Amino acid sequence: MEKLKILEGRRGQVFEKGKDAFKLNCGVKSTSGAVSQRACVFCGSRVVLYPITDALHLVHGPIGCAAYTWDIRGSMSSGPVINRHSFSTDLREIDVIYGGAEKLYKAASQLIDKHKPEAAFIYSTCIVGLIGDDVEAVCKKLSEEKKIPVINVDSAGFKGTKKDGYKAACESIAKLVGTGDISMIAPYSINILGEFNLAGEAWIIKDYYTRMGVNVNAVITGDGRVADLKRAHGAALNVVQCAGSMTYLAEIMKKKYNIPFIRVSYFGLDDMTSALYDVAAFFEKNPEINERAGMVVKDEMDAIMPGLLRYRKALSGKKAALYVGGAFKAFSLIKALRVLGMDVVLAGSQTGNKEDYEDLKKICDDGAIIIDDANPQELSRYITEKKADVLIGGVKERPIAYKIGIGFCDHNHERKIPLAGYAGMLNFAGEVYSSVMSPVWKLVLRNDTFGQKRSRP
Amino acid sequence: MLLRHTPKEIKERSALTVNPAKTCQPVGAMYAALGVHKCLPHSHGSQGCCAYHRSALTRHYKEPVMAGTSSFTEGASVFGGQANLLEAINNIFTIYNPDVIAVHTTCLSETIGDDLTQITNKAKEEGKVPDGKYVIKANTPSYVGSHVTGFANMVKGIVDAFPVNTGHKTNTINIIPGYVEPSDMSEIKRIASEMGIKTIVFPDTSNVLNGPQTGKYDMYPSGGTKIPDLIKAGDSKATIALGPIASGPAAKALDTKCKVPCEILKLPIGIKATDEFVDRLRILGGVSVSEEIKTERGQAVDVITDMQQYFAGKKAALIGDPDQMVSLAGFLTDIGMKVRHVVTGTSGKKFEKRIREAAGEDVNVKEGGDYFYFHQLIKNEKVDLILGNSYSKYISRDEDIPLIRFGFPIYDRVGHQYNPCVGYRGAMRLLENILNALLDRQDRDALEEKFELVM
């Protein structure tokens, strides 16, 4: 194989465990001209706030940003669905020259009157950040007139990375927190932060906690309601699932309302179990919670183990590659894959930080590639070289895996079945199994398919 | 449930787009650029744009879509993106080794006033563009036009960059296939080749965005118009541009630049529009229409003959890109259906006139419209069939009307990448889809005593 060229500026972002000295260079901006899999500030704020279902989400800018984020999130609602529409001020050239604030006011005003949302989020995109529309003033005016919170989400794409978008979303949510009545909130109450109810996962998790006797006060933001966000400061504990997006909000709430937080993950058996016991441990004054947590764990494990063992038998010894958004999810996935008897030969993330990668290094086996902000060329090269049987990633990674002729499992926005919790672990195993074992891989054109030699690199 | 808020009463909305029937220019430019062999599209703006465009195309084609980005930061937005683009050009040629980089702007780089011509010239002067390699460009601010105009602008960018008039005219005919699927581009090539005509088709995304599964990943798949052909397009004896909005500007630019006369036709969707295309090929190529093509045409017409009773008077609503809507409206009218509502998200003054010519005076037409308005039209006058992209499914479900997926984006079905809509074979496929939808519906709704085998 021809040697893979890696951009000078990216050399420090690829590491092979056991071979290279480890000082992974991460948290840096993508090099200009790199084919990065990363997105922008707007994307970050949009994915976090999107699942707030009874709020209006109006994208202030040219049409693209609204069009590309129209109902692609897969986050389920048990009630309102205002969030699933695509509303845009659709700025034109003339607005860019003379300013779009007036258009924004009109659009938002009409929409609020029509849909009567509980709150409105106005996303300012690149161009608005540039032409300097006073979105803050429009929001203030609308808040007063319409008697609902109208919040400016400062999400000009160029102002940073997706992570900065998460921060902008947290700041927007923080404006709602603390404005509701908390007198009726039960004492053993938690908020779940960074769980977006993709394919209904929040419902699974909520059920576990409820069975433990813990009240889930607000899920931020899965199947989210503005009223829940307003009351979020009434919880005793914040449980942070997607650390990358929501730690910032947890920190704000700790400072402002003295609510402690713990980091958990709902993916894989170990992490899911810890997520329940850690909450029980927090409420140690009530030992029954811990007891009931044990029952939940036992019941759920009993229900899935036979199925899981069958998958394990088939998948044992197969190899997996991971490329995910945040690195925290990668740990859970590595552990989950080990439960299935699978080895991880590549672990990468779009936005991991130094600590994440240090931890990844510890947990990975020798020979595994650890990679930050990868491009498709690098991904495909290492997947092929390390002979992975499955790639776990998101929408842009799927066809890469398929072209190479290996399985794929979506662990991002597009998953259609829940992968969190115990039932989710079984689903995950089933997804990986059906993809890895698909008979289609036997149809991939090989040297002997037509009885002739075909050169393969 | 999602659309329960849509009221029947239509009110003027000037400031607000609800559920857009278009996307922005850069995605169209990216799609066009992928139709050049070994070309890496490059998005000059924030990296989110590039990620969204790649995701949108990936979802639609289920293929890897590659593109670079200038990864704008606040610094670039204040001081200009020149440094980013120069670095990008250098990096891309060093690492990804394409033959061409196709740079398009975004609303951000456009607004801060980055001058692509000046920057790409500078890149050349500084030796960042290796010999035999190209950087082409298009201005595609998102606040002007739509993905269709973005496509048109990048195809014009291809014309600006490559064709050369050497003074030696060839017997070749250029075909600009318009904003259609890879399967359509390949069908257009097949028709011309079936007639024995030498063509240069550009852009050509077949085998790029509908490539085979090979067991290996190629950053540059085998398809795409090759650069020597693009250069030779300047010596061709004529250009046929399919679809005035998507292909017209490039064809005219080529005429001006290299004196290659152009004819701008409708997209060859449906029998009459294909007849027009085939006949133009015949005249320009000095050939007669082959028996094979005549047979294909006859088969398509045969299906209409056999099944005209099922098409007759059935009402249709269409939403999508302007060039496609015009031909499609004509085709549906030709098979006896009544086209009632036609909406395009792209703005254009002649659209209404062209649709009325194709589908009659009393059709409801809207240029620069959105899905919300389209839904309102349907609420006011119900139809039997909707043709539109995947987002039409909400209306289809809400109103309980069968849907045929047509246009961009189609996220929830396959087939569009591989099977054409253009030409007689494409017409046949459309007919099959329409008939299946109507007859399935008839079966579904039939009373027990009227549910019969032969229809």
Side-chain angles (χ1 to χ4, degrees):
Chain A
M1 254 189 219
E2 195 191 329
K3 200 170 150 33
L4 176 69
K5 281 188 188 168
I6 294 176
L7 276 177
E8 196 59 51
R10 277 197 43 71
R11 289 247 164 95
Q13 285 166 275
V14 186
F15 162 83
E16 183 168 348
K17 188 174 171 186
K19 201 167 161 197
D20 307 332
F22 191 75
K23 29 176 221 279
L24 197 77
N25 184 21
C26 58
V28 292
K29 296 213 159 66
S30 299
T31 317
S32 192
V35 177
S36 170
Q37 307 289 81
R38 282 174 171 174
C40 65
V41 178
F42 169 71
C43 176
S45 60
R46 189 82 168 103
V47 294
V48 168
L49 297 175
Y50 173 86
I52 305 171
T53 61
D54 57 354
L56 176 77
H57 301 263
L58 172 60
V59 182
H60 183 36
I63 199 69
C65 304
Y68 301 118
T69 51
W70 178 10
D71 205 24
I72 57 164
R73 181 75 166 129
S75 169
M76 293 185 171
S77 171
S78 57
V81 284
I82 309 174
N83 60 324
R84 293 181 62 188
H85 286 284
S86 176
F87 300 119
S88 170
T89 48
D90 191 2
L91 291 185
R92 316 318 311 255
E93 201 160 19
I94 195 94
D95 306 313
V96 174
I97 298 165
Y98 295 112
E102 203 176 312
K103 199 173 184 186
L104 170 65
Y105 171 77
K106 262 201 218 162
S109 182
Q110 277 183 22
L111 282 170
I112 294 168
D113 290 347
K114 183 168 146 43
H115 291 276
K116 313 228 168 347
E118 294 298 318
F121 295 102
I122 312 289
Y123 302 78
S124 330
T125 59
C126 276
I127 207 72
V128 173
L130 205 64
I131 61 176
D133 281 353
D134 193 348
V135 178
E136 206 61 64
V138 174
C139 289
K140 196 165 166 250
K141 189 172 170 202
L142 282 164
S143 298
E144 282 161 11
E145 284 177 15
K146 309 288 179 188
K147 312 280 180 241
I148 60 161
V150 179
I151 297 165
N152 172 22
V153 186
D154 188 9
S155 51
F158 59 84
K159 285 189 175 166
T161 64
K162 202 168 169 181
K163 272 186 173 173
D164 300 284
Y166 296 150
K167 208 171 151 193
C170 288
E171 278 163 3
S172 303
I173 296 169
K175 286 182 187 164
L176 289 172
V177 175
T179 60
D181 173 26
I182 55 170
S183 56
M184 300 297 282
I185 290 175
Y188 301 111
S189 284
I190 60 168
N191 298 317
I192 301 175
L193 271 56
E195 162 50 57
F196 302 109
N197 203 34
L198 304 182
E201 289 174 330
W203 298 332
I204 294 176
I205 304 301
K206 237 174 142 171
D207 172 60
Y208 298 155
Y209 286 124
T210 310
R211 280 153 64 191
M212 283 164 56
V214 171
N215 171 54
V216 178
N217 182 48
V219 180
I220 304 174
T221 52
D223 195 11
R225 300 291 182 277
V226 173
D228 293 346
L229 295 173
K230 287 179 172 174
R231 281 193 301 266
H233 60 301
L237 174 70
N238 277 336
V239 180
V240 183
Q241 135 79 17
C242 177
S245 62
M246 282 285 139
T247 307
Y248 185 66
L249 179 66
E251 278 165 357
I252 295 177
M253 288 174 72
K254 189 175 174 198
K255 212 187 252 171
K256 214 163 160 190
Y257 306 104
N258 206 21
I259 302 172
F261 69 89
I262 55 171
R263 275 169 65 157
V264 301
S265 162
Y266 297 134
F267 299 112
L269 302 180
D270 286 4
D271 288 352
M272 183 63 240
T273 303
S274 306
L276 299 183
Y277 282 130
D278 288 355
V279 169
F282 179 80
F283 294 119
E284 59 186 353
K285 273 188 232 153
N286 185 346
E288 270 181 40
I289 291 178
N290 191 56
E291 229 167 82
R292 283 194 292 255
M295 275 154 63
V296 171
V297 174
K298 185 179 180 308
D299 289 351
E300 294 293 324
M301 291 285 263
D302 284 351
I304 63 158
M305 272 333 263
L308 210 54
L309 289 174
R310 275 199 296 277
Y311 288 130
R312 183 191 159 92
K313 212 172 152 193
L315 290 171
S316 224
K318 301 276 184 202
K319 294 175 181 148
L322 305 175
Y323 190 71
V324 292
F328 198 65
K329 187 157 74 185
F331 306 122
S332 294
L333 284 172
I334 291 172
K335 285 187 252 175
L337 287 159
R338 285 203 177 132
V339 168
L340 297 174
M342 295 175 72
D343 304 319
V344 172
V345 292
L346 179 150
S349 100
Q350 288 177 25
T351 55
N353 60 33
K354 276 219 152 55
E355 284 165 31
D356 293 334
Y357 286 117
E358 277 297 336
D359 290 344
L360 258 185
K361 186 188 113 186
K362 277 181 211 143
I363 191 174
C364 281
D365 291 329
D366 270 357
I369 301 281
I370 296 171
I371 194 164
D372 178 57
D373 187 19
N375 63 50
Q377 214 178 27
E378 291 164 1
L379 281 176
S380 68
R381 171 60 177 257
Y382 291 121
I383 290 167
T384 312
E385 214 171 270
K386 295 287 171 186
K387 298 193 167 59
D389 298 290
V390 64
L391 171 64
I392 297 165
V395 56
K396 294 196 290 299
E397 286 81 52
R398 180 196 299 268
I400 297 173
Y402 288 165
K403 275 282 180 261
I404 297 168
I406 67 166
F408 178 81
C409 171
D410 192 295
H411 216 290
N412 205 347
H413 306 182
E414 296 209 333
R415 60 177 183 260
K416 297 299 163 224
I417 54 163
L419 302 179
Y422 299 95
M425 177 66 199
L426 189 61
N427 290 339
F428 175 64
E431 282 263 290
V432 171
Y433 172 85
S434 59
S435 196
V436 169
M437 308 307 262
S438 168
V440 72
W441 312 129
K442 293 191 188 132
L443 301 178
V444 176
L445 194 60
R446 285 172 218 287
N447 286 349
D448 55 355
T449 301
F450 296 117
Q452 63 198 30
K453 290 267 179 268
R454 231 176 120 251
S455 65
R456 264 168 72 104
Chain B
M1 279 301 282
L2 184 66
L3 299 180
R4 69 180 183 275
H5 293 290
T6 309
K8 204 172 161 183
E9 187 199 349
I10 297 174
K11 276 187 194 161
E12 191 60 37
R13 280 177 290 132
S14 57
L16 175 64
T17 294
V18 181
N19 299 341
K22 61 174 177 180
T23 60
C24 63
Q25 286 210 74
V27 79
M30 192 181 278
Y31 179 58
L34 289 165
V36 174
H37 183 62
K38 275 200 89 176
C39 174
L40 189 74
H42 181 83
S43 167
H44 187 51
S46 316
Q47 63 191 20
C49 302
C50 187
Y52 279 132
H53 303 146
R54 286 177 58 209
S55 293
L57 292 172
T58 300
R59 285 189 173 100
H60 180 80
Y61 292 107
K62 325 265 184 249
E63 290 288 312
V65 173
M66 297 305 116
T69 161
S70 291
S71 299
F72 267 39
T73 55
E74 259 178 319
S77 310
V78 175
F79 300 112
Q82 172 168 302
N84 289 50
L85 188 51
L86 290 175
E87 191 194 347
I89 290 171
N90 191 39
N91 280 340
I92 288 172
F93 280 126
T94 311
I95 297 303
Y96 302 116
N97 193 31
D99 287 347
V100 188
I101 300 174
V103 186
H104 59 261
T105 54
T106 62
C107 47
L108 180 57
S109 57
E110 197 67 35
T111 308
I112 62 173
D114 276 358
D115 181 351
L116 287 190
T117 307
Q118 177 259 323
I119 301 174
T120 48
N121 285 343
K122 195 171 162 71
K124 254 180 246 161
E125 281 160 27
E126 291 179 0
K128 292 185 164 75
V129 185
D131 284 345
K133 306 266 177 178
Y134 298 83
V135 179
I136 67 173
K137 56 195 186 301
N139 291 88
T140 52
S142 316
Y143 43 75
V144 176
S146 72
H147 56 290
V148 186
T149 31
F151 178 91
N153 285 336
M154 183 52 85
V155 183
K156 186 176 169 294
I158 293 171
V159 165
D160 292 341
F162 296 110
V164 176
N165 180 357
T166 63
H168 300 284
K169 282 285 171 211
T170 61
N171 209 25
T172 307
I173 296 172
N174 302 323
I175 302 179
I176 306 178
Y179 200 144
V180 288
E181 295 285 326
S183 47
D184 295 320
M185 297 189 183
S186 142
E187 179 65 3
I188 285 162
K189 275 195 297 188
R190 188 192 67 85
I191 292 172
S193 129
E194 179 61 47
M195 290 176 65
I197 293 168
K198 221 178 145 221
T199 56
I200 295 170
V201 176
F202 70 91
D204 178 9
T205 56
S206 60
N207 284 329
V208 178
L209 288 168
N210 62 356
Q213 209 274 7
T214 55
K216 68 186 173 71
Y217 167 78
D218 269 323
M219 186 141 174
Y220 306 107
S222 65
T225 317
K226 300 210 160 63
I227 291 169
D229 289 332
L230 289 171
I231 294 170
K232 272 188 246 160
D235 285 332
S236 294
K237 69 173 173 186
T239 300
I240 296 179
L242 300 172
I245 296 180
S247 305
K252 285 180 199 156
L254 185 55
D255 190 352
T256 311
K257 183 181 174 188
C258 298
K259 304 278 165 289
V260 181
C262 67
E263 303 220 21
I264 299 170
L265 307 180
K266 284 194 194 100
L267 274 182
I269 294 171
I271 309 294
K272 279 192 199 155
T274 305
D275 286 349
E276 200 184 7
F277 171 56
V278 168
D279 199 42
R280 258 316 102 180
L281 279 177
R282 177 186 68 83
I283 295 166
L284 290 171
V287 296
S288 50
V289 177
S290 71
E291 284 310 309
E292 177 66 30
I293 299 273
K294 285 184 191 159
T295 304
E296 285 171 17
R297 183 187 192 280
Q299 288 168 331
V301 175
D302 194 56
V303 171
I304 306 171
T305 319
D306 291 344
M307 295 290 160
Q308 33 87 15
Q309 57 180 341
Y310 294 100
F311 299 124
K314 287 284 190 297
K315 290 180 180 178
L318 328 177
I319 186 162
D321 297 341
D323 292 339
Q324 296 176 349
M325 291 300 98
V326 169
S327 298
L328 194 61
F331 182 40
L332 298 181
T333 308
D334 288 343
I335 65 173
M337 291 178 72
K338 294 249 173 295
V339 176
R340 295 305 308 138
H341 317 299
V342 185
V343 170
T344 182
T346 303
S347 299
K349 288 192 187 76
K350 287 184 192 152
F351 183 70
E352 189 177 328
K353 187 170 160 274
R354 291 170 68 204
I355 290 293
R356 290 198 194 286
E357 277 166 12
E361 274 307 312
D362 66 339
V363 55
N364 298 306
V365 194
K366 173 89 175 167
E367 49 90 13
D370 54 24
Y371 269 89
F372 183 81
Y373 180 75
F374 184 61
H375 191 194
Q376 289 185 312
L377 290 176
I378 292 173
K379 275 197 177 296
N380 280 284
E381 185 182 345
K382 208 155 170 167
V383 293
D384 302 295
L385 191 64
I386 297 172
L387 288 99
N389 71 28
S390 288
Y391 284 109
S392 315
K393 77 197 259 182
Y394 301 114
I395 298 172
S396 162
R397 181 181 169 96
D398 198 49
E399 300 294 334
D400 194 20
I401 299 171
L403 164 68
I404 292 172
R405 282 161 183 78
F406 185 95
F408 175 84
I410 297 172
Y411 291 155
D412 57 344
R413 292 292 187 275
V414 290
H416 51 278
Q417 316 91 320
Y418 305 107
N419 303 306
C421 282
V422 301
Y424 303 121
R425 285 188 178 175
M428 188 81 104
R429 173 172 172 247
L430 278 173
L431 287 169
E432 186 185 357
N433 286 342
I434 294 168
L435 257 170
N436 287 348
L438 295 174
L439 295 183
D440 280 351
R441 185 50 183 265
Q442 191 173 320
D443 271 341
R444 195 196 85 176
D445 294 345
L447 298 170
E448 193 56 35
E449 60 273 25
K450 291 200 167 175
F451 183 70
E452 289 183 299
L453 179 71
V454 180
M455 295 176 82

